[in-house]
Amino acid sequence: MTDMATAASGQAGRLRQQAVDQLLQDGFITCTDVEKAMRTVPREQFAPGAELEEVYAPYDAVITKTDEYGVAVSSVSAPQIQAMMLEQAQLQPGHRVLEIGSGGYNAALISEIVGDAGEVTTVDIDAEVTDRARRFLAGAGYPQVRVVCADADDGVPQYGLYDRIIVTAGAWDIPPGWADNLAEGGRLVVPLRIRNLTRSIAFTKAAGHLAGSDPQVCGFVPMQGSGEHAETLVLVNGTEEIGLRFDDETPADPRLLDNAVRTARVEVWTGVTVAPQELIGTLQLYLATTLPGFCTMAVDPDLDTGLVAPNNPRFSLAAVEGGNFAYLVTRRTPENDVEYGVHAFGPEGEVFAAAVAEHVQAWGREQRGGPGPHIDAYPADTPDGQLPSRHVITKRYSRITFSWPEPDTAQSQDHPIRGQGE
């Protein structure tokens, strides 16, 4: 090895240990096996050409392929996301594991954890990605990992059943093949798109359905092939200035919104305040699963005329009802906390703003600081009466239910709207 190569290897090793130390300190790594794997596998060998500081940035992905429009279609996920999902999977030595969405590095981490008695298969629809993964895995010392080029909508049944399936692409649905490939009692970890939000969820196969828990905020390159799903964009007032994005149910008649912004803007403040560093993942998920007409709003900065005034023009939580739409805003309080409010437009804007505000207030009273919902996935033909919750998102293959904890009545009466962080 040349002096230059030796120096680079030494720097990579130091940065690798620093990244793991940071993730341990921040609580994203708690499992010894995950820590050992991340300290061992040379991540830089799976992202050649990237600067080492970029490769080992704990919270940043490394883009490895883009399409003709410059949109990322393949990446090495951020170390924090990989550690989080590996911990959700609860891998054990000897497990048979299928990874859906390849790149090589994550498969190497899995191989380190399951050991020689285990078995790892990684699959991707893109032959360029799988060729690269196969080459990188062999070069890094993991030639035993099986690399398959295929559309994984049906899983990879020829090598199953699997104790664990880990999906590393943003999935809109859970196709039957994934559950069929999973051993009874096995775990499926999948970044599932839920009305424009993505949550990594750990599902356990049991009694004809998938029982989920531990939803974690994440972001992934969308699934390609049979599992690809395009969101619906509704342009308010017929212009590209204001776009409402729907990932599941869409408005019955979007044209009713055309004149909404011609009405006066209604502003309502909820009294729900959060500390600047308080986590709000359950608020987002609560609104997405309980607020009818939920969507997200984006404003084109080049066309912005000030009709709406979101805090984040690229992404705001929003909702639609008939010819009305609303979105969430925030403001600083004298105590330097953040208070949530609602802006609404439309002929019943005042009533709709109050309804959206009540959902925020319900979260503040009943769900704030809690564990979040229990999430279950059932086949798409499951009748309502056999589902455990009325909060249901029906997709092509599955019905996803969200069972929020029942509020403690006594605590609800005494609980101030401003409370402890999650």
Side-chain angles (χ1 to χ4, degrees):
M1 182 179 291
T2 66
D3 291 342
M4 185 176 297
T6 301
S9 176
Q11 183 187 12
R14 288 191 297 273
L15 291 172
R16 188 181 315 131
Q17 304 313 314
Q18 291 172 12
V20 175
D21 290 344
Q22 186 67 57
L23 294 175
L24 280 165
Q25 178 180 318
D26 294 345
F28 288 103
I29 297 178
T30 61
C31 174
T32 303
D33 288 342
V34 173
E35 176 189 353
K36 181 181 177 181
M38 298 195 75
R39 290 194 187 279
T40 302
V41 179
R43 180 176 165 93
E44 72 277 6
Q45 294 193 27
F46 298 87
E51 296 293 333
L52 288 175
E53 289 79 5
E54 177 189 4
V55 170
Y56 284 108
Y59 298 99
D60 294 334
V62 179
I63 305 303
T64 55
K65 183 177 180 180
T66 58
D67 63 15
E68 63 271 28
Y69 305 106
V71 177
V73 295
S74 184
S75 69
V76 182
S77 298
Q80 173 255 322
I81 294 293
Q82 290 170 313
M84 178 187 76
M85 294 183 72
L86 291 174
E87 298 230 345
Q88 285 182 305
Q90 299 180 1
L91 296 169
Q92 299 293 328
H95 272 165
R96 294 166 52 84
V97 183
L98 172 64
E99 179 195 36
I100 298 176
S102 193
Y105 175 64
N106 199 58
L109 293 172
I110 297 169
S111 185
E112 279 285 339
I113 297 171
V114 302
D116 293 339
E119 188 174 304
V120 181
T121 301
T122 181
V123 59
D124 200 280
I125 196 172
D126 189 330
E128 181 180 337
V129 170
T130 53
D131 287 347
R132 188 178 63 224
R134 190 178 292 109
R135 185 171 68 253
F136 292 163
L137 283 161
Y142 301 92
Q144 73 275 20
V145 174
R146 182 185 295 115
V147 182
V148 177
C149 183
D151 186 326
D153 205 50
D154 292 326
V156 186
Q158 61 268 38
Y159 303 118
L161 297 172
Y162 302 96
D163 300 296
R164 300 290 188 266
I165 298 177
I166 302 176
V167 183
T168 59
W172 178 74
D173 202 355
I174 302 175
W178 295 359
D180 293 343
N181 282 190
L182 194 62
E184 194 71 14
R187 290 172 75 87
L188 164 69
V189 178
V190 55
L192 188 64
R193 285 163 51 188
I194 303 165
R195 291 182 176 150
N196 301 83
L197 307 177
T198 301
R199 295 292 186 269
S200 178
I201 304 169
F203 288 100
T204 301
K205 184 176 180 178
H209 77 291
L210 295 171
S213 61
D214 193 26
Q216 298 289 326
V217 176
C218 64
F220 274 87
V221 172
M223 189 75 65
Q224 300 179 52
S226 301
E228 188 173 348
H229 177 80
E231 65 183 10
T232 299
L233 176 64
V234 173
L235 299 177
V236 178
N237 204 32
T239 73
E240 296 184 2
E241 177 185 353
I242 305 168
L244 301 178
R245 301 181 182 277
F246 297 83
D247 209 19
D248 292 282
E249 299 91 344
T250 58
D253 187 358
R255 294 172 299 179
L256 293 176
L257 296 170
D258 286 349
N259 292 316
V261 291
R262 301 183 187 280
T263 64
R265 185 173 73 201
V266 176
E267 184 175 282
V268 173
W269 293 97
T270 66
V272 176
T273 62
V274 299
Q277 301 302 316
E278 184 174 350
L279 301 178
I280 54 142
T282 58
L283 171 60
Q284 296 175 337
L285 196 56
Y286 184 78
L287 294 179
T289 58
T290 67
L291 178 59
F294 179 87
C295 60
T296 60
M297 183 183 78
V299 180
D300 188 324
D302 296 328
L303 301 174
D304 188 1
T305 63
L307 283 173
V308 293
N311 298 89
N312 181 357
R314 296 179 179 273
F315 182 88
S316 299
L317 304 181
V320 167
E321 182 185 75
N324 309 286
F325 84 93
Y327 59 91
L328 260 60
V329 291
T330 61
R331 66 182 178 185
R332 289 285 183 174
T333 70
E335 296 77 22
N336 204 37
D337 290 329
V338 176
E339 181 183 6
Y340 280 97
V342 180
H343 285 177
F345 295 85
E348 293 87 30
E350 290 188 9
V351 173
F352 191 45
V356 174
E358 170 53 31
H359 275 75
V360 177
Q361 292 162 346
W363 169 81
R365 292 191 306 268
E366 302 169 4
Q367 303 299 337
R368 180 186 191 157
H374 190 84
I375 303 172
D376 295 280
Y378 291 82
D381 59 356
T382 305
D384 288 349
Q386 296 179 19
L387 298 176
S389 172
R390 63 186 177 87
H391 301 303
V392 182
I393 298 177
T394 299
K395 297 176 180 284
R396 179 183 178 188
Y397 297 121
S398 59
R399 303 193 75 187
I400 314 297
T401 66
F402 302 84
S403 302
W404 288 89
E406 290 294 330
D408 185 301
T409 303
Q411 288 186 352
S412 295
Q413 291 174 347
D414 298 335
H415 190 285
I417 289 184
R418 185 186 184 284
Q420 298 300 314
E422 296 181 323

